[in-house]
């Protein structure tokens, strides 16, 4: 019988006649069994006629507090836990750090039905911060979290001290560029096939320019264990709804309307683009060019600062954490 502990293992598969594949942990539908780097709390609230809960970490400053709160918004293939190194760097420099898992992700509710929108996720996050008596915060969004941070800043500009976008997706409108639309049912069938090997292959190729570090393995296991655990179908369904939200709700056209101090931090080797796997070759070749996208969007956002990390990929905060955090702290303390 499968358990929900971190040590639960799938049966090993054989490579050829003798070599065994390392087993992947299995986690519950809300990542039960996975160990978060800091105490995990739950925020319960009413949304769309149902009671939901968001998992979140609220890490107090280590040493002298500087009076600022940072909210970290994770990406599609990430969780609040993947901000581990960033939380440590910020809290050790006096920041209070709040890292939620959005509805549909990781330790949070996976509703049977939910009308996903970045506006709704922004409203959920606003409710969480209100419950924690956070009136104003620095917002940092990575990947899909960059789209959410943008929507949050557009919706609640008076609540945002600064915004930092770390290799955000949504710097282009994939559908307008010619990427075919997928139905939610098609996304669902795709998500049911999620595996550890597939996650690693995609991330290595798309995020890290063919490179890989063993420190990334635990994050692959986290996603694979969630996607292949006892909540597999519910996790896949929510993932499909979220992909539809990402593809059909661009923020690209509203960057010009931002009114908060914004910094873009871009690993220039990133090639992430939603739907590129089914895009025609001529379209695919025009997608995910972060070296150019960062410059273009920095020009659209009033007063934006652009910091580039040449040779780094989709997650510079995980690929070169010391260098990244030095630059990030420079931005926040300016």
């Amino acid at each position: 019988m499968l358990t929900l502990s971190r040590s639960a293992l799938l049966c090993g598969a054989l490579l050829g006649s003798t070599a065994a594949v390392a087993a992947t942990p299995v986690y519950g539908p809300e990542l039960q069994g996975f160990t978060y780097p800091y105490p995990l709390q739950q925020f319960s609230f009413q949304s769309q006629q149902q009671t939901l809960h968001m998992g979140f970490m609220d890490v107090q400053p280590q040493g002298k507090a500087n009076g600022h709160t940072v909210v970290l918004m994770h990406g599609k293939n990430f969780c609040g836990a993947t901000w581990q190194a960033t939380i440590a760097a910020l809290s050790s420099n006096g920041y209070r750090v709040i890292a939620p898992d959005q509805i549909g992700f990781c330790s949070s509710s996976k509703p049977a039905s939910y009308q996903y929108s970045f506006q709704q996720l922004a409203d959920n996050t606003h409710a969480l911060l209100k419950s924690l008596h956070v009136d104003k915060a620095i917002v940092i969004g990575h990947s899909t979290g960059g789209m959410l941070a943008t929507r949050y800043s557009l919706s609640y500009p008076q609540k945002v001290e600064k915004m930092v976008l770390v290799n955000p997706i949504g710097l282009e409108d994939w559908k307008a560029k010619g990427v075919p639309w997928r139905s939610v049912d098609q996304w669902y069938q795709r998500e049911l096939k999620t595996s550890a090997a597939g996650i690693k292959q995609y991330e290595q190729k798309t995020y890290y320019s063919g490179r890989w570090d063993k420190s990334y393995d635990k994050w692959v296991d986290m996603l694979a264990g969630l996607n292949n655990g006892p909540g597999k179908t519910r996790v896949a369904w929510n993932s499909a709804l979220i992909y539809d939200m990402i593809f059909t709700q661009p923020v690209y056209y509203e960057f010009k309307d931002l009114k908060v101090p914004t910094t873009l931090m871009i690993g220039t080797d990133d090639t992430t683009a939603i739907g590129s796997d089914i895009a025609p070759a001529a379209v695919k070749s025009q997608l995910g060019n972060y070296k150019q996208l960062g410059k273009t969007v920095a020009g659209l956002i009033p007063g934006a600062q652009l910091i580039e990390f040449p040779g780094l990929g989709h997650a510079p905060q995980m690929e070169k954490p010391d260098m990244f955090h030095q630059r990030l702290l420079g931005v926040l303390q300016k």
Side-chain angles (χ1 to χ4, degrees), residues 2-10 23-28 31-37 81 84 215-223 225:
L2 294 176
T3 67
L4 301 184
S5 69
R6 184 168 177 78
S7 60
L9 299 176
L10 293 173
T24 302
V26 174
Y27 301 122
L31 263 184
Q32 294 94 332
F34 180 82
T35 302
Y36 272 65
Q84 180 174 352
S215 64
Y216 310 150
D217 287 343
K218 70 176 179 178
W219 307 124
V220 171
D221 287 347
M222 176 189 70
L223 287 180

Side-chain angles (χ1 to χ4, degrees), residues 243-290:
Y243 268 123
D244 183 71
M245 170 187 72
I246 294 168
F247 188 75
T248 61
Q249 298 180 28
V251 295
Y252 175 78
Y253 305 103
E254 296 173 83
F255 284 129
K256 61 181 175 53
D257 300 323
L258 282 166
K259 294 180 173 61
V260 303
T262 300
T263 299
L264 284 159
M265 302 185 77
I266 302 293
T268 61
D269 275 11
D270 192 2
T271 59
T272 305
I274 302 300
S276 62
D277 56 317
I278 58 171
V283 172
K284 185 174 182 176
S285 66
Q286 302 300 313
L287 303 174
N289 181 5
Y290 272 74

Side-chain angles (χ1 to χ4, degrees), residues 10-268:
L10 293 173
C11 294
L14 293 181
L15 283 178
S17 58
T18 58
V21 176
T24 302
V26 174
Y27 301 122
E30 294 172 8
L31 263 184
Q32 294 94 332
F34 180 82
T35 302
Y36 272 65
Y38 298 92
L40 185 65
Q41 302 182 54
Q42 297 288 341
F43 169 60
S44 295
F45 62 104
Q46 294 292 313
S47 179
Q48 300 185 20
Q49 300 186 346
Q50 54 193 315
T51 300
L52 303 175
H53 59 264
M54 292 172 66
F56 69 96
M57 293 174 287
D58 185 358
V59 182
Q60 299 303 312
Q62 306 302 307
K64 185 178 180 180
N66 62 21
H68 298 279
T69 297
V70 176
V71 179
L72 301 174
M73 298 182 175
H74 62 78
K76 174 66 178 67
N77 294 325
F78 302 83
C79 296
T82 55
W83 285 110
Q84 180 174 352
T86 302
I87 294 171
L90 292 171
S91 63
S92 66
N93 280 273
Y95 294 92
R96 178 187 181 184
V97 185
I98 299 170
D101 287 334
Q102 297 296 328
I103 294 300
F105 293 85
C106 309
S107 66
S108 296
S109 296
K110 313 291 187 306
S113 60
Y114 202 63
Q115 184 175 340
Y116 278 98
S117 68
F118 285 113
Q119 188 70 59
Q120 178 69 72
L121 298 186
D123 188 64
N124 296 349
T125 304
H126 181 251
L128 166 65
L129 296 179
K130 185 176 180 180
S131 76
L132 297 174
H133 308 291
V134 175
D135 183 61
K136 199 165 189 177
I138 298 164
V139 177
I140 302 178
H142 169 239
S143 191
T144 298
M147 295 183 78
L148 175 56
T150 301
R151 178 58 58 205
Y152 186 89
S153 295
L154 287 164
S155 301
Y156 305 103
Q158 72 281 8
K159 301 294 184 182
V160 179
E161 184 180 342
K162 295 179 180 179
M163 179 171 66
V164 179
L165 302 178
V166 183
N167 280 80
I169 63 170
L171 300 182
E172 56 190 334
D173 182 345
W174 309 286
K175 184 173 180 291
K177 284 190 169 183
V179 175
W181 175 77
R182 272 189 178 109
S183 70
V184 171
D185 293 318
Q186 289 171 324
W187 277 117
Y188 176 62
Q189 291 302 319
R190 177 183 182 269
E191 291 304 283
L192 285 174
K193 300 173 184 176
T194 299
S195 68
I199 293 168
K200 179 177 179 178
Q201 181 182 39
Y202 169 76
E203 293 188 357
Q204 185 172 13
K205 179 182 178 182
T206 306
Y207 291 179
Y208 303 113
S209 300
R211 299 182 297 272
W212 192 258
D213 186 276
K214 289 186 67 67
S215 64
Y216 310 150
D217 287 343
K218 70 176 179 178
W219 307 124
V220 171
D221 287 347
M222 176 189 70
L223 287 180
L226 174 65
N227 281 275
N228 290 287
K232 178 182 177 72
T233 55
R234 183 66 67 87
V235 170
W237 180 246
N238 276 265
S239 184
L241 295 174
I242 290 164
Y243 268 123
D244 183 71
M245 170 187 72
I246 294 168
F247 188 75
T248 61
Q249 298 180 28
V251 295
Y252 175 78
Y253 305 103
E254 296 173 83
F255 284 129
K256 61 181 175 53
D257 300 323
L258 282 166
K259 294 180 173 61
V260 303
T262 300
T263 299
L264 284 159
M265 302 185 77
I266 302 293
T268 61

Side-chain angles (χ1 to χ4, degrees), residues 260-264 297-306:
V260 303
T262 300
T263 299
L264 284 159
V297 173
L300 296 175
I301 300 173
Q305 177 186 10
L306 173 64

